[in-house]
Amino acid sequence: MKGKGATRLKTKAPLNLSVAGWIKPISIGITVSSIMFAVIILVLQVANNEVEKLELVGSFEYVKKQDVLNQLEGVYPQGYVALDVQEIYERLIEMPMISSVDVEKIWPDTLKINVHEEQPIAIWNKSSLLSQAGDILPVSFENLALPSLEGSGDSSRLVMQHYQLFNKWCKRHGLNLVGLTKSTSGWLIQEQTGLKIWLDGANAMSGLRQLESVIDQFQFTRISSIDLRYEQGFAVAWKEKSAKVQG
């Protein structure tokens, strides 16, 4: 008779601890990433509210509000995140009578645009206007009491630069510059009382400095014109008589 021996129980091999050690962090990482992704999606949905309120700030003397709105077509309105402020700026700065523009998104649904218009400084060649930089502006000059500047078609910037220099000099001596012409003969300054001052095309400021050294000797109301294009001295034409003055 066979006796019963002891029965051995089979057991599963223990889980490799090294595997368990890195599975748990991966699981936690996936969970955290999923939560973060969901939060980002939620934030974007909330942040991307439709920007449909527009604040237009400016004098709008030469620029029409409707022209600004037309320029925004296709980029406004948009969601807050999608609204491209740089593209709006680039579109508006291309408009002829806008010198600069500030564009700002205001949470949660507003676009603010501050428009700075070009300011006409002078009438150019009796047909258009000039900005302070000497750019020709495409607006009407009728009924504008501005100085009259003249020169060749491509010299508007040069003439404006000299106008600003000559105008400062005139104001310093109580003269009101109302006209400036650049020609092959030189510079011609026209003052409000009718006084004309001729300057050499290449040495204009030298001529004014020469005149300044003796300016206290003159009463401009008695003078018709002063010609400073001479190498030595200058010529003065009086309203009663003419004389050449040696500087």
Side-chain angles (χ1 to χ4, degrees):
M1 181 176 180
K2 294 181 179 181
K4 293 182 179 180
T7 303
R8 292 184 179 181
L9 297 178
K10 293 182 179 180
T11 59
K12 294 181 179 180
L15 183 66
N16 192 320
L17 293 179
S18 63
V19 174
W22 57 260
I23 287 180
K24 187 174 181 180
I26 290 177
S27 177
I28 294 174
I30 292 174
T31 302
V32 172
S33 298
S34 299
I35 294 173
M36 291 179 61
F37 181 75
V39 170
I40 291 171
I41 294 297
L42 180 62
V43 169
L44 288 176
Q45 288 177 343
V46 173
N48 205 31
N49 286 331
E50 189 78 1
V51 177
E52 53 189 5
K53 294 180 182 178
L54 179 62
E55 287 186 27
L56 280 180
V57 181
S59 60
F60 295 102
E61 185 177 358
Y62 301 105
V63 177
K64 296 180 180 179
K65 289 185 178 181
Q66 186 58 50
D67 291 339
V68 173
L69 294 176
N70 293 341
Q71 199 75 354
L72 296 178
E73 188 174 349
V75 292
Y76 167 86
Q78 287 276 3
Y80 191 88
V81 174
L83 187 65
D84 192 337
V85 170
Q86 182 62 29
E87 183 176 357
I88 291 173
Y89 169 84
E90 291 173 358
R91 285 193 178 199
L92 296 181
I93 204 67
E94 291 178 355
M95 297 179 68
M97 287 304 296
I98 292 182
S99 62
S100 63
V101 61
D102 303 313
V103 184
E104 178 184 6
K105 290 190 291 188
I106 301 176
W107 175 263
D109 59 0
T110 302
L111 174 65
K112 183 177 180 180
I113 299 176
N114 195 343
V115 175
H116 305 278
E117 295 180 85
E118 294 279 13
Q119 293 300 314
I121 301 298
I123 297 172
W124 176 244
N125 285 337
K126 298 182 174 65
S127 61
S128 54
L129 294 172
L130 288 184
S131 70
Q132 189 169 6
D135 296 323
I136 298 175
L137 305 176
V139 292
S140 173
F141 64 91
E142 294 179 3
N143 302 320
L144 292 178
L146 297 172
S148 177
L149 276 54
E150 297 183 38
S152 60
D154 59 350
S155 65
S156 62
R157 290 178 178 269
L158 177 66
V159 175
M160 176 56 70
Q161 290 170 0
H162 282 75
Y163 163 76
Q164 292 172 2
L165 289 173
F166 299 157
N167 192 41
K168 288 181 180 178
W169 186 91
C170 287
K171 286 184 179 300
R172 193 162 66 244
H173 297 288
L175 301 175
N176 186 17
L177 193 161
V178 297
L180 177 64
T181 301
K182 174 69 172 74
S183 68
T184 55
S185 299
W187 294 97
L188 173 59
I189 296 175
Q190 299 182 67
E191 201 268 334
Q192 189 174 32
T193 62
L195 170 66
K196 296 180 179 180
I197 301 176
W198 278 100
L199 300 167
D200 181 72
N203 300 292
M205 292 308 297
S206 296
L208 288 179
R209 284 192 292 269
Q210 182 185 15
L211 177 60
E212 197 164 33
S213 65
V214 295
I215 201 168
D216 293 337
Q217 302 176 25
F218 296 110
Q219 294 181 6
F220 286 120
T221 55
R222 298 178 53 202
I223 299 174
S224 173
S225 67
I226 302 174
D227 192 340
L228 294 154
R229 293 172 294 179
Y230 295 89
E231 290 186 8
Q232 298 293 329
F234 51 88
V236 176
W238 303 89
K239 290 181 179 178
E240 298 85 7
K241 58 182 180 179
S242 297
K244 183 173 181 180
V245 180
Q246 296 295 325

